[in-house]
Every structure is written in structure tokens, then in C-alpha cells.
Amino acid sequence: MSPLFRRNAPAPRDRLVTLVRKPGCHLCDDAQLVVGKVCGDLGVTWEQKDITEDRQLHDQYWEQIPVVLIDGEQHTFWRVNEQRLRKALTD
């Protein structure tokens, strides 16, 4: 990406990653490890939301969990790729 465009992108520490998950989901556990590692390395704030406690998230993402959102926009679902997430947070 051109440095001209990169200047306007938020710094990683200004981003918010949300992991939408449900209890007892092994893919969610795997996603949590990747999100935690990448966000920890980059100093990015992240949170988890339980799909069983939020009707809107349930209706929107039930068949895709785990889902990773960056600043409220869907980044990925099912399997989280560490390099892809890292790139999305730093580009």
C-alpha cells in the first residue's frame, strides 16, 4: 500500500477487534488464541462477545462463528489466519 494512504489508516492501538463466539466451540477457542496473540503483539484492544447473549449477533452470525470484527466490520469467520489478521491491523 502506498505510504500516502497508510498515513490515514488508524494506528493498530486505535483499532478494536471483536471476537464473536459461543461457549463450547473449539473453533472459537482456536480463534481466541490467534486474536489474543496478534492483538497482544500489536497493542490492539480486543473483546469477546457471546453470541448466545446477544440476539442481534445471533441472528447475524450464528452460522459463521467464530467471527472476527475489526472496528465493527467483519474481517473473517470460522478460522482466523494470524498473518491475515496482523496485516489487516497494520495496513
Side-chain angles (χ1 to χ4, degrees):
M1 176 177 279
S2 166
L4 289 174
F5 294 111
R6 200 172 290 159
R7 261 186 284 172
N8 295 329
R13 68 183 174 282
D14 297 330
R15 311 299 296 269
L16 174 63
V17 174
T18 303
L19 174 61
V20 180
R21 58 168 299 148
K22 74 171 186 169
C25 166
H26 73 279
L27 288 178
C28 300
D29 294 339
D30 293 346
Q32 180 178 336
L33 292 173
V34 175
V35 169
K37 178 180 187 315
V38 171
C39 290
D41 289 350
L42 298 175
V44 174
T45 301
W46 72 283
E47 64 183 359
Q48 298 181 66
K49 293 196 176 180
D50 184 340
I51 201 166
T52 65
E53 295 177 0
D54 185 313
R55 187 68 187 170
Q56 182 181 357
L57 291 175
H58 180 276
D59 291 347
Q60 188 169 1
Y61 297 119
W62 180 252
E63 294 181 4
Q64 296 179 341
I65 60 165
V67 176
V68 175
L69 310 174
I70 299 176
D71 300 328
E73 298 292 323
Q74 187 170 347
H75 167 70
T76 195
F77 61 96
W78 293 337
R79 300 213 183 261
V80 182
N81 179 282
E82 180 179 341
Q83 290 76 24
R84 184 170 175 259
L85 178 59
R86 190 176 300 276
K87 183 172 176 18
L89 292 170
T90 56
D91 277 353

